[in-house]
Amino acid sequence: MSRIPQPEVHVEGQQSHEDPPEGVERPTLRAGAAVFTSLVALAATTLAAGPASADASPHPCALPRTAAHHSLGLDTWNSAYPRPDRAVDAVMVFLSFPDSTPLTTPDDLVADHFPATADFFRNASYGKFLLRPHPVRKWIRMPKASTEYRIKRDWDAAHRAAYLRDAVSVVDPLVDFSRYDVVYLVADPDAPGVDSDATKVVNFEPATKADGTELRRAVTVFERHPPDRHVLAHETGHVFDLPDLYHRPTDGKGDWDTHVGDWDVMGSQFGLAPEFLGWHKWKLGWLDQGQVRCVTGPADRVLTLEPLAAAASGRPAGTRLAVVRTGQNSALAIEARGATGNDRDTCKEGVLLYRVRNEEASGAGPVEVIDTHPKSGACWDRSVYPQLADAPLGVGESFTVPGERVRVEVADRTRTGAWTVKIATVR
């Protein structure tokens, strides 16, 4: 039997993280015995790359989806995941334990995450995606003491399976899982066995049946009160097939943020510019094909890029992402980042460049932000990785991307805040 892929995990004080594939794909419950069987099987099954799926993209710069976990290929959508291009309903339940009396209320914990998380997604999607929470505003008692589940960041499969089995069993009589695409299992933050380093998305493989539907994954929340900033936005991103963008040091002691720094919530939930990258927005269906420009051929191109971030009521029109295909499985992405919407606290405005690789799995560097100012940094008192905080190009600056023979120049900024960019092939 093959080992299960590692589920997505949260690193307290740093950013949420996802170990190399191990998982549990979303089960559905109302059949207690079936849940137990599927969750135990979880300890010996492999997470598949997902169905071939639908929604083929004719765009010439759309990298093909590969078998990599949370591949950033986007010529097709992985139908094993819900797509957030509509209203999505999420149930939030609150789990207490026999060895602890909760010091907070479910209402307190709901307010920790909502409406902030829903607002974040509404702004990021230009109003195309609505995350609708449905909290069950009562504590639901687990059958065992919190310490018996041995909850921790790198949770072993047997104890994790026991926790999930018990959680779905006690919740199932109160919740019709067939009504929801997203499930949040929120543990009492003050219970002695709850480790705030262990928040993660757990994927069930094979999926479990409950209430006539398949439950493939759940977000297990073990956050303190109040929680880490944007932690639920990060974890919910995994539910929609987005990868971790940070780098996990092999010894656990290095810097986690060398790949993207502040520039996407899937890199760091504490980032100053946490807006989803344009490539992620394209994958999720928030950017239309007309808002993505593919730059091909030797001729120079002059484009006007609208700032990627905007309030939900902001202008969704205009080009938001330029892409230069650099190989069969790689691309260079170019987008404008301004101090608005989810990026209102950004350290620096400008034109951001980054590489995308569709064969790199979650946590293995599928995105690399290019530092166009490698000899300097910025916002040393606020940034999660100051060396990349000043990565964007400003007006009058240009940069030739190493190894790609592509030169990007920012010629101007319009009165409305858009950026005029010249993209040239270096001969």
Side-chain angles (χ1 to χ4, degrees), residues 302-375:
V302 177
L303 305 176
T304 299
L305 293 176
E306 296 287 341
L308 190 67
S313 58
R315 294 176 300 137
T319 301
R320 307 256 172 174
L321 177 66
V323 180
V324 181
R325 189 75 173 263
T326 57
Q328 181 178 357
N329 297 299
S330 63
L332 173 68
I334 304 162
E335 63 192 41
R337 303 295 288 261
T340 187
N342 292 334
D343 278 351
R344 58 188 174 274
D345 295 325
T346 188
C347 179
K348 181 180 178 181
E349 297 183 298
V351 175
L352 189 71
L353 284 59
Y354 55 95
R355 293 184 174 92
V356 180
R357 301 181 180 92
N358 63 351
E359 291 185 310
E360 297 295 340
S362 176
V367 172
E368 177 194 359
V369 166
I370 297 171
D371 189 356
T372 65
H373 304 94
K375 296 183 179 180

Side-chain angles (χ1 to χ4, degrees), residues 121-394:
F121 279 106
R122 186 179 67 253
N123 290 338
S125 67
Y126 315 116
K128 292 184 177 181
F129 167 49
L130 300 178
L131 179 63
R132 300 188 298 210
H134 299 269
V136 178
R137 298 178 184 270
K138 60 181 293 184
W139 287 108
I140 303 172
R141 178 67 66 91
M142 292 282 278
K144 298 176 184 176
S146 61
T147 52
E148 290 192 40
Y149 295 109
R150 309 283 180 88
I151 299 164
K152 60 181 180 178
R153 178 185 177 83
D154 295 317
W155 209 358
D156 73 80
H159 286 102
R160 185 178 65 243
Y163 180 85
L164 294 168
R165 176 198 65 210
D166 289 348
V168 294
S169 296
V170 297
V171 169
D172 191 42
L174 302 175
V175 171
D176 180 356
F177 286 97
S178 68
R179 298 175 53 194
Y180 305 105
D181 287 302
V182 181
V183 176
Y184 299 116
L185 302 175
V186 184
D188 174 9
D190 298 303
V194 170
D195 180 357
S196 63
D197 205 33
T199 294
K200 65 182 73 176
V201 172
V202 184
N203 299 296
F204 295 98
E205 179 64 32
T208 302
K209 281 285 184 182
D211 299 325
T213 190
E214 288 187 343
L215 183 62
R216 294 182 180 274
R217 59 190 57 84
V219 183
T220 54
V221 180
F222 301 106
E223 291 298 301
R224 297 171 179 171
H225 170 67
D228 289 345
R229 179 174 180 249
H230 292 320
V231 61
L232 208 63
H234 176 105
E235 297 301 344
T236 306
H238 287 313
V239 174
F240 302 127
D241 199 22
L242 294 186
D244 282 316
L245 299 185
Y246 56 81
H247 161 68
R248 186 179 186 183
T250 54
D251 60 1
K253 299 177 182 179
D255 203 309
W256 292 72
D257 300 300
T258 56
H259 288 326
V260 300
D262 295 272
W263 298 104
D264 190 302
V265 74
M266 300 310 295
S268 174
Q269 62 212 40
F270 301 107
L272 301 178
E275 183 72 306
F276 289 112
L277 293 167
W279 192 275
H280 278 167
K281 295 192 180 203
W282 188 16
K283 175 178 178 175
L284 296 174
W286 300 343
L287 291 181
D288 300 329
Q289 298 290 9
Q291 294 174 287
V292 180
R293 292 287 298 275
C294 187
V295 179
T296 59
D300 296 352
R301 298 291 181 90
V302 177
L303 305 176
T304 299
L305 293 176
E306 296 287 341
L308 190 67
S313 58
R315 294 176 300 137
T319 301
R320 307 256 172 174
L321 177 66
V323 180
V324 181
R325 189 75 173 263
T326 57
Q328 181 178 357
N329 297 299
S330 63
L332 173 68
I334 304 162
E335 63 192 41
R337 303 295 288 261
T340 187
N342 292 334
D343 278 351
R344 58 188 174 274
D345 295 325
T346 188
C347 179
K348 181 180 178 181
E349 297 183 298
V351 175
L352 189 71
L353 284 59
Y354 55 95
R355 293 184 174 92
V356 180
R357 301 181 180 92
N358 63 351
E359 291 185 310
E360 297 295 340
S362 176
V367 172
E368 177 194 359
V369 166
I370 297 171
D371 189 356
T372 65
H373 304 94
K375 296 183 179 180
S376 65
C379 296
W380 294 86
D381 60 333
R382 298 187 296 130
S383 171
V384 300
Y385 192 65
Q387 294 90 326
L388 285 179
D390 64 346
L393 290 171

